[in-house]
Amino acid sequence: MLWSRFISRLFKEAKPYLQARDDFKHARISHQYALLLMGREQGDKKIVEPAVILHDVGWSCLAPQQIALAYGVKAGGLEALELNRIHEVQGAVIARHILQTLDYDAVSTDQITLIVERHDSGTEIATAEEGMVKDADKLWRFSQIGFWKEVERQQVGAEELYRHLDKHLWTWFFSLTAKELAENELRRRAQEMRLVLPETPGHTS
Ligand SMILES: [Fe+2]
Ligand SMILES: [Fe+2]
């Protein structure tokens, strides 16, 4: 199968599992960031692309109220951690099932599912590919579509989300490329906030 056709097929297979948190666009945009990162740094596309497309299929195992508790600016405490862990662990199970259905090679499948299982936890990475997936996932929050989507679905103010992202800018990312992309995006979000909320003081870029 052509690689581009395989990627389209993977999006199609992942789509039903991405409905729970309305994550299809998140997967698309994170995939675009992963391509951007791979264009600038070394990374195996056979690992990075499937992992980033499939990384959030595990939200399909949680109820909407659990999802709301498990992630975002307001998430905290043991319950949030446990629920978040479920989306990683179950996501790895579902990702393996999808890849096996498509006859993907076993060694790559093991590496991909390991990344899915760790994508939102830990501050260490085992491979460059894991770092790229984690960076591409986080970059979504800084993107125009991602930022305003998160304002809406987390029910937080744009300023609050902006401050949260600004605080984590220098701790979340593994590559300098991702940090720079995030910083540039955040500057654009600050400009948009001045347009949307012109009376709100205190935005910094
Ligand atoms: Fe996730
Ligand atoms: Fe994600």
Side-chain angles (χ1 to χ4, degrees):
M1 200 187 293
L2 273 177
W3 183 249
S4 59
R5 198 169 290 175
F6 172 72
I7 291 301
S8 301
R9 182 77 195 276
L10 213 46
F11 271 114
K12 198 173 160 214
E13 295 295 326
K15 197 170 188 176
Y17 298 100
L18 295 172
Q19 304 299 315
R21 204 184 60 147
D22 193 15
D23 272 323
F24 193 69
K25 219 164 232 174
H26 167 40
R28 282 272 188 216
I29 286 175
S30 293
H31 179 241
Q32 289 298 316
Y33 277 122
L35 294 179
L36 208 57
L37 294 175
M38 279 193 295
R40 301 200 196 166
E41 292 172 26
Q42 293 295 317
D44 184 349
K45 71 175 183 181
K46 290 197 162 69
I47 305 300
V48 173
E49 291 189 56
V52 82
I53 293 166
L54 297 170
H55 78 277
D56 269 337
V57 292
W59 287 121
S60 61
C61 297
L62 295 171
Q65 308 91 300
Q66 293 176 309
I67 293 172
L69 278 176
Y71 87 99
V73 176
K74 293 173 184 166
L78 196 60
E79 193 181 8
L81 274 179
E82 284 172 0
L83 291 168
N84 198 280
R85 191 77 191 114
I86 291 172
H87 104 279
E88 292 182 307
V89 173
Q90 293 306 315
V93 173
I94 296 166
R96 181 176 293 282
H97 168 72
I98 291 173
L99 291 166
Q100 284 175 343
T101 304
L102 297 175
D103 271 336
Y104 209 58
D105 88 82
V107 174
S108 301
T109 298
D110 284 346
Q111 291 178 46
I112 292 161
T113 52
L114 193 63
I115 292 174
V116 173
E117 209 246 16
R118 295 157 49 108
H119 77 266
D120 208 16
S121 54
T123 51
E124 304 286 317
I125 49 168
T127 60
E129 286 75 18
E130 184 183 353
M132 272 181 189
V133 174
K134 288 183 167 185
D135 283 355
D137 181 23
K138 298 282 194 308
L139 276 165
W140 147 264
R141 304 171 190 181
F142 294 79
S143 70
Q144 185 181 43
I145 292 176
F147 180 87
W148 293 104
K149 172 75 180 172
E150 294 299 341
V151 165
E152 178 203 317
R153 75 174 169 186
Q154 292 183 39
Q155 310 245 303
V156 290
E159 283 233 46
E160 189 180 357
L161 182 59
Y162 180 91
R163 279 196 298 272
H164 178 74
L165 297 179
D166 192 42
K167 192 173 103 188
H168 289 98
L169 185 61
W170 300 101
T171 57
W172 272 346
F173 295 102
F174 294 95
S175 78
L176 191 60
T177 306
K179 273 179 201 160
E180 286 172 359
L181 284 169
E183 203 175 10
N184 289 338
E185 288 292 354
L186 206 51
R187 222 171 273 140
R188 292 189 198 111
R189 300 300 78 77
Q191 287 168 0
E192 289 161 10
M193 281 164 61
R194 284 189 202 101
L195 293 174
V196 176
L197 312 163
E199 77 285 359
T200 309
H203 301 157
T204 52
S205 58

